[in-house]
Amino acid sequence: MAKSLLLISRQAPWSGPGAREALDIVLAGGAFDLPIGLLFLDDGVFQLLAGQNARTVQQKDLSANLQALPMFGVEDLFVCADSAEERGVATDALALGEIKVLSAAHIAQLIDRYDQVITL
């Protein structure tokens, strides 16, 4: 059986290539049926806001990649409630409907469930 992977995405979509690279890794893993999860932490929660205009900061829009996650078998999606609250992001208005909201206290338990963890 393949080892499971948790990818922790900590960068805002406009802060550089990290957010896009995280999504690319997750989509590739999903395409190969790797048991994979994606956690949005710290500034990574900004990726989940609807209605972003990536052109104004000369970046590619990540919303299509986010919407494609279920099609690639990536269904274990998580967001840190504490990170969202600290940044004024309402978890009930996120662009992904099927995302589990976790407190910071539960993130350590989540990480322990996976064989490998990558942070970008």
Side-chain angles (χ1 to χ4, degrees), residues 21-119:
E21 290 170 355
L23 283 173
D24 287 346
I25 291 169
V26 170
L27 290 169
F32 289 101
D33 292 327
L34 180 69
I36 195 162
L38 176 59
L39 168 64
F40 296 92
L41 185 68
D42 299 329
D43 286 347
V45 300
F46 289 123
Q47 296 176 46
L48 301 171
L49 295 175
Q52 296 187 40
N53 187 352
R55 288 185 190 156
T56 59
V57 291
Q58 299 177 344
Q59 296 283 329
K60 270 188 133 177
D61 187 4
L62 300 179
S63 61
N65 290 30
L66 288 170
Q67 298 303 322
L69 290 170
M71 291 186 299
F72 282 80
V74 180
E75 297 174 357
D76 290 337
L77 304 172
F78 309 94
V79 64
C80 176
D82 300 322
S83 293
E85 183 178 336
E86 289 170 5
R87 288 156 181 81
V89 175
T91 56
D92 59 347
L94 300 176
L96 290 175
E98 298 296 322
I99 193 162
K100 297 164 193 87
V101 180
L102 300 176
S103 68
H106 289 102
I107 289 177
Q109 295 170 345
L110 174 70
I111 290 170
D112 285 342
R113 287 183 15 206
Y114 288 87
D115 297 314
Q116 311 253 341
V117 177
I118 297 175
T119 302

Side-chain angles (χ1 to χ4, degrees), residues 1-17:
M1 180 172 174
K3 291 193 176 213
S4 60
L5 172 67
L6 176 66
L7 200 128
I8 302 174
S9 186
R10 300 180 73 176
Q11 292 188 9
W14 56 83
S15 67

